[in-house]
Amino acid sequence: MKIFRGLDHPEVTRHCALTIGNFDGVHRGHQAMLALLRSEAQRRGLASCALTFEPHPRDYFAQVLNKPDLAPARISTLRDKLDQLAQCGIDQTIVLPFNARLAAQAPQAFIDDVLLKGLGTGYLLVGDDFRFGHQRAGDYAMLVEAGRKQGFDVARMNSYESDGLRVSSTAVRQALGQGDMPAAAKLLGYPYAISGHVVHGRKLGRQLAESRAGAGDGFRTLNLRFDHWKPAASGIFVVLVHGLSAEPLPGVANLGVRPSLDPNDVNGGRVLLETHCLQWPAELGGDGAYGKIIRVELLHKLHDELKYDSLDALTTGIAKDCADARAFFHTASHAETRRQTTRDRI
């Protein structure tokens, strides 16, 4: 998939079948729409294209109005959103900066400048609640009329439902906020995960190792930055780590702002996903993971973030989390064995 920031690139395909959205999470509803888009693009001999925004429009207005509560909790980083769009088979994604100019653009100007001049849209597919342009004045009826006059086809897809419930980014955020990872995975169609480059932290895990006799590697962590101040999920999770070895590695992770750390933390003020692998790959040595791209699946929430008053208390708390994570994997392994035995008997 080709990715472009903005429209001013000579390589942008300007004859396409287009859909527009924030695509936070790329859930099953998004996936159904993107599959329909691909089918129509193929039938019409067009490239499939997704147009998305960064920052999220509600992030922009939250900052302008100084009302942080307006910003939605973020499900995916931009990296993960683009990765999921690529997995859906889209040919091209445009990341359009949402700024004052775009916020003030009249709906007809958006049609003229972005849909037609910018992308040469031949077919446009939108959701049933799609609005666009200054003060969200543009709607589906306006698009249909513009398409009739200006030569592009417009279609609308109804909401995707699962078990009678509408699948939406809002529903995914609610599931993640409640720590219901199975519900989030059902809405997304895949286990919730965060990916990125492993970055340096305070090396606090090594201090914890030194504070415990016989701790070995102690609680060495893999640190990923979550590039938004308001993640949809937070707390302590049982996880699987992909990208460090042939098989995913079981672990326990903290997603949040690390309330037990001091202001000298090199990542202070940032949301981090800090993951401790229950079995550290020996071939990586002490520092072999830095710079690698990993993907961490969040399988089960253990509890919210806790503030510990000392390194000893923090060490004890992490040790308990590791024990609980091992118990989770042990139980899951036995459950899978039982399911396999039942299938074999059938």
Side-chain angles (χ1 to χ4, degrees):
M1 182 181 77
K2 295 187 289 186
I3 300 167
F4 301 97
R5 284 187 176 268
L7 296 168
D8 297 328
H9 299 276
E11 298 86 0
V12 169
T13 300
R14 286 180 165 80
H15 192 46
C16 67
L18 177 70
T19 191
I20 306 171
N22 293 304
F23 300 110
D24 192 17
V26 191
H27 53 63
R28 290 170 63 192
H30 292 142
Q31 294 162 32
M33 176 174 282
L34 294 166
L36 177 57
L37 181 77
R38 281 199 339 266
S39 175
E40 285 293 330
Q42 199 167 38
R43 186 174 72 84
R44 297 161 182 265
L46 301 172
S48 59
C49 179
L51 176 65
T52 191
F53 306 99
E54 192 65 31
H56 192 293
R58 285 166 58 192
D59 280 353
Y60 169 80
F61 288 112
Q63 183 176 17
V64 168
L65 299 174
N66 195 26
K67 294 182 177 180
D69 288 346
L70 292 179
R74 186 65 64 91
I75 300 168
S76 299
T77 62
L78 180 59
R79 166 191 286 279
D80 287 332
K81 175 166 70 174
L82 294 173
D83 181 65
Q84 287 296 331
L85 289 171
Q87 290 189 42
C88 288
I90 298 303
D91 296 319
Q92 170 181 274
T93 292
I94 308 295
V95 182
L96 205 58
F98 197 92
N99 51 29
R101 179 179 175 277
L102 191 60
Q105 190 171 44
Q108 186 60 51
F110 181 84
I111 293 170
D112 295 339
D113 296 345
V114 177
L115 301 189
L116 298 177
K117 181 181 177 182
L119 288 169
T121 302
Y123 170 83
L124 175 64
L125 176 65
V126 297
D128 56 5
D129 58 353
F130 180 71
R131 304 296 293 255
F132 67 102
H134 181 54
Q135 296 185 339
R136 293 168 52 85
D139 59 11
Y140 178 70
M142 182 178 185
L143 287 171
V144 171
E145 181 64 15
R148 185 182 66 79
K149 292 180 178 179
Q150 295 178 268
F152 62 96
D153 294 333
V154 182
R156 176 169 57 183
M157 183 171 175
N158 292 329
S159 299
Y160 184 90
E161 293 188 355
S162 175
D163 296 334
L165 298 176
R166 183 173 183 268
V167 176
S168 66
S169 294
T170 298
V172 176
R173 291 185 190 106
Q174 290 173 344
L176 293 175
Q178 294 165 2
D180 191 342
M181 309 315 288
K186 183 176 181 181
L187 292 165
L188 290 167
Y190 52 87
Y192 179 63
I194 297 169
S195 68
H197 288 90
V198 179
V199 300
H200 289 272
R202 275 188 61 201
K203 311 294 192 295
L204 182 61
R206 302 178 188 188
Q207 296 180 41
L208 298 181
E210 292 168 0
S211 71
R212 289 170 57 87
D217 264 339
F219 299 114
R220 183 187 307 277
T221 59
L222 305 164
N223 303 318
L224 301 184
R225 288 175 181 154
F226 189 92
D227 291 330
H228 193 270
W229 62 275
K230 192 177 180 181
S234 64
I236 313 303
F237 296 87
V238 179
V239 303
L240 283 175
V241 180
H242 300 260
L244 291 180
S245 61
E247 296 295 326
L249 300 171
V252 62
N254 183 112
L255 175 58
V257 296
R258 306 164 314 287
S260 297
L261 300 187
D262 64 41
N264 295 321
D265 177 12
V266 296
N267 291 293
R270 292 178 180 267
V271 176
L272 277 191
L273 178 64
E274 294 183 310
T275 303
H276 170 66
C277 295
L278 299 179
Q279 294 178 327
W280 183 257
E283 64 272 17
L284 288 177
D287 297 325
Y290 291 120
K292 290 185 178 295
I293 297 176
I294 63 171
R295 179 169 58 89
V296 182
E297 290 183 13
L298 281 62
L299 304 179
H300 171 72
K301 184 171 180 177
L302 293 173
H303 57 79
D304 290 333
E305 282 193 289
L306 299 174
K307 183 172 177 60
Y308 296 100
D309 295 330
S310 66
L311 285 182
D312 284 343
L314 177 59
T315 300
T316 300
I318 296 176
K320 184 180 185 306
D321 293 337
C322 289
D324 291 343
R326 289 189 176 92
F328 174 87
F329 285 115
H330 180 75
T331 301
S333 176
H334 276 279
E336 178 58 31
T337 299
R338 287 195 297 272
R339 284 194 294 269
Q340 185 62 54
T341 300
T342 301
R343 285 195 295 266
D344 290 345
R345 287 173 179 170
I346 295 173

